[in-house]
Amino acid sequence: GAVVSQHPSWVICKSGTSVKIECRSLDFQATTMFWYRQFPKQSLMLMATSNEGSKATYEQGVEKDKFLINHASLTLSTLTVTSAHPEDSSFYICSARKDRGYTSSSYEQYFGPGTRLTVT
Amino acid sequence: SQQGEEDPQALSIQEGENATMNCSYKTSINNLQWYRQNSGRGLVHLILIRSNEREKHSGRLRVTLDTSKKSSSLLITASRAADTASYFCATDAVRKYGNKLVFGAGTILRVKS
C-alpha cells in the first residue's frame, strides 16, 4: 500500500510564532498533495492544493500569506502556519495523490495521520 | 459550501444491528468515496464507487450511488462496537482545473455493546 506520513503528529506553540508541518509520501511519488483542516467534531475542509514545482491553489477564504505551502519535491509538501493565533488551533491533515495511470479520474488519494496544532 | 450533506448527523445503534448513512452532493462527480475516522485520528479509506457504478460491496459494507439524485448511502451490516467512529463521504468532483476531494459533514456512529 501507499503510506503518507506527517511530522510532527502534534505541536504546541505560542501565539505569534510560526509552525511548519511536513507531509511525505513514503513509497510513491505524489504529483499533487492536498492540505485539509478539521475543527473538533467537524468535517475536513480543503485548504489548498499543492502541485510539485508550482504555486499552490488556495480555496476561497484561506489566506495564502498565512498558510504557506511549499511542494519542493514529488514526495514532500510543507505547510507553514505563520504568526499562529489560538483560532488556528486545529487538526491539519495532508493527503497525497497517486496517479494510477489509466484515466484522469482513476487516481487514489492517501491520507496522512494528521497533525494536531495547539496555539496558546 | 465545499461540503455535501450527510444524514443522520449522529446515529446510535446496538451491536448486531445495521447502520445506514446517507450522503448528498451538488456537482457532477468522477467517483464518491467513504472514509472512517476514529476520534482524533487519521482517515481510513473504506470504499470507492465510480460514477458509472450503482452498487459496491466490501465485506460488511455496501455502498449505493444514485447520480440522478446526487446521493449515496453506506450500509454497515452486523455492526460491532469497533465500528464506532465518524464516517465521511467525499466526492471527487469534476472541475476545470484539476480534481479534488471534497468531504461531506459526516455521520457520528456509536455502536453500543
Side-chain angles (χ1 to χ4, degrees), chain A residues 48-94:
Chain A
T49 302
S50 170
N51 293 297
E52 188 268 339
S54 63
K55 289 183 180 179
T57 303
Y58 290 81
E59 295 299 305
Q60 192 173 9
V62 178
E63 299 174 58
K64 62 180 182 181
D65 294 330
K66 181 168 183 61
F67 298 100
L68 300 179
I69 291 172
N70 184 9
H71 195 152
S73 76
L74 286 172
T75 59
L76 173 64
S77 175
T78 60
L79 168 68
T80 301
V81 183
T82 62
S83 187
H85 291 283
E87 56 265 31
D88 298 324
S89 298
S90 187
F91 195 49
Y92 291 87
I93 302 174
C94 75

Side-chain angles (χ1 to χ4, degrees), chain B residues 30-45:
Chain B
N30 293 313
N31 63 67
L32 184 144
Q33 303 174 38
W34 284 90
Y35 289 83
R36 184 184 73 218
Q37 184 182 37
N38 289 83
S39 181
R41 306 292 292 274
L43 295 173
V44 174
H45 182 266

Side-chain angles (χ1 to χ4, degrees), chain B:
Chain B
S1 168
Q2 287 188 23
Q3 298 178 347
E5 299 295 323
E6 286 185 62
D7 75 89
Q9 289 185 327
L11 179 61
S12 183
I13 58 175
Q14 289 293 137
E15 202 166 28
E17 294 180 340
N18 295 341
T20 299
M21 289 159 268
N22 302 296
C23 166
S24 62
Y25 56 91
K26 299 175 182 177
T27 64
S28 296
I29 62 171
N30 293 313
N31 63 67
L32 184 144
Q33 303 174 38
W34 284 90
Y35 289 83
R36 184 184 73 218
Q37 184 182 37
N38 289 83
S39 181
R41 306 292 292 274
L43 295 173
V44 174
H45 182 266
L46 296 176
I47 197 165
L48 179 154
I49 185 166
R50 301 189 194 287
S51 60
N52 61 354
E53 297 175 312
R54 292 296 167 258
E55 188 171 313
K56 204 162 183 179
H57 297 254
S58 176
R60 292 184 297 113
L61 306 180
R62 174 178 166 250
V63 169
T64 63
L65 178 65
D66 187 336
T67 52
S68 66
K69 295 181 180 178
K70 290 186 166 58
S71 67
S72 173
S73 68
L74 170 67
L75 168 67
I76 303 174
T77 59
S79 64
R80 305 166 183 168
D83 294 329
T84 295
S86 293
Y87 291 82
F88 297 95
C89 69
T91 52
D92 168 18
V94 176
R95 297 179 197 278
K96 187 176 180 181
Y97 296 111
N99 297 11
K100 48 189 176 182
L101 214 53
V102 175
F103 283 79
T107 294
I108 299 172
L109 172 66
R110 181 183 171 213
V111 182
K112 295 178 283 188
S113 56

